[in-house]
């Protein structure tokens, strides 16, 4: 480890706060994710989804899709997760998911990418420490085919109420890890 004179605490990505959102902004979320057979089997079993399209290869092979499909609720969960870094890292709650549409099937081995567009924002009428941001989340496969879209509405902290710092980013307890002056 470097001596104290070479050590400095550098602020990392804090996520967007309510003030950072502007209607019309589009955020291309940085991490694509390849969907594996294991993802689909585990999620299907965890959620007790008994549709054979997800776990019965001979059955699914005889359908118009020619094979098993990835569970659509997994695709929703993955897309929302991909958007957290840009949209809801500082959210206190998700108020709703609306206009959910599956545009095309997702198969094992597809790599998904997501982007969010800010549709609206407003001050909360009941909580002064947050604002409400409505986004459209769009998800595409590796070929550029849109596979999912939905509207998502999180309540996002205002910066002045979060008070993040390099020493204590949002969510970190005081005194954990490297501290200034150590």
């Amino acid at each position: 480890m470097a001596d104290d004179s070479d050590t400095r605490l550098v602020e990392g990505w804090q996520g967007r706060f309510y003030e950072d959102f502007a209607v019309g902004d589009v955020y291309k979320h940085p991490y694509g994710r390849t969907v594996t057979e294991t993802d689909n089997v585990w999620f299907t079993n965890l959620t007790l989804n008994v549709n054979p399209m997800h776990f019965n290869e001979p059955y699914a092979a005889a359908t118009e899709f020619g094979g098993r499909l990835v569970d659509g609720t997994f695709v929703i969960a993955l897309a929302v997760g991909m958007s957290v870094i840009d949209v809801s890292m500082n959210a206190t709650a998700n108020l709703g998911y609306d206009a959910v549409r599956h545009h095309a099937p997702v198969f094992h081995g597809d790599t998904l990418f997501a982007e969010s567009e800010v549709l609206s924002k407003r001050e909360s009428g009941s909580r002064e420490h947050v604002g409400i941001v409505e986004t459209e989340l769009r998800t595409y496969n590796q070929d550029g085919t849109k596979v999912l879209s939905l509207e998502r509405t999180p309540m996002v902290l205002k910066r002045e109420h979060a008070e993040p710092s390099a020493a204590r980013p949002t969510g970190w307890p005081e005194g954990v890890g490297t501290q200034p002056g150590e």
Side-chain angles (χ1 to χ4, degrees), residues 12-176:
W13 175 240
Q14 299 289 335
R16 286 184 176 81
F17 294 93
Y18 175 72
E19 298 84 358
D20 300 321
F21 291 92
V23 173
D25 283 355
V26 174
Y27 312 121
K28 288 187 171 281
H29 308 306
Y31 304 107
R33 169 80 154 63
T34 301
V35 179
T36 67
E37 179 178 16
T38 300
D39 295 328
N40 193 40
V41 169
W42 283 3
F43 194 85
T44 298
N45 288 333
L46 284 171
T47 60
L48 298 176
N49 185 332
V50 296
N51 187 318
M53 285 298 296
H54 306 304
F55 60 81
N56 183 324
E57 185 61 37
Y59 174 86
T63 69
E64 66 183 287
F65 301 107
R68 288 175 290 158
L69 300 179
V70 173
D71 185 325
T73 54
F74 174 80
V75 176
I76 294 168
L78 177 58
V80 169
M82 292 165 77
S83 73
V84 167
I85 193 167
D86 289 313
V87 173
S88 59
M89 194 164 145
N90 292 307
T92 60
N94 278 303
L95 299 179
Y97 299 92
D98 299 296
V100 177
R101 298 288 177 263
H102 293 280
H103 300 280
V106 174
F107 297 95
H108 304 149
D110 281 349
T111 301
L112 302 182
F113 302 88
E115 66 184 9
S116 293
E117 180 176 350
V118 180
L119 302 177
S120 69
K121 66 181 265 189
R122 67 178 175 82
E123 302 280 332
S124 170
S126 60
R127 294 171 175 87
E128 71 176 35
H129 65 289
V130 296
I132 298 168
V133 180
E134 182 184 24
T135 64
E136 180 184 22
L137 174 58
R138 299 179 291 261
T139 308
Y140 305 89
N141 68 15
Q142 68 281 349
D143 300 321
T145 302
K146 184 173 13 175
V147 298
L148 173 75
S149 63
L150 59 87
E151 292 177 6
R152 180 169 177 238
T153 309
M155 280 195 319
V156 181
L157 279 173
K158 292 180 180 177
R159 182 175 280 100
E160 68 182 279
H161 294 281
E163 300 177 6
S165 69
R168 192 168 176 206
T170 303
W172 273 67
E174 190 171 351
V176 173

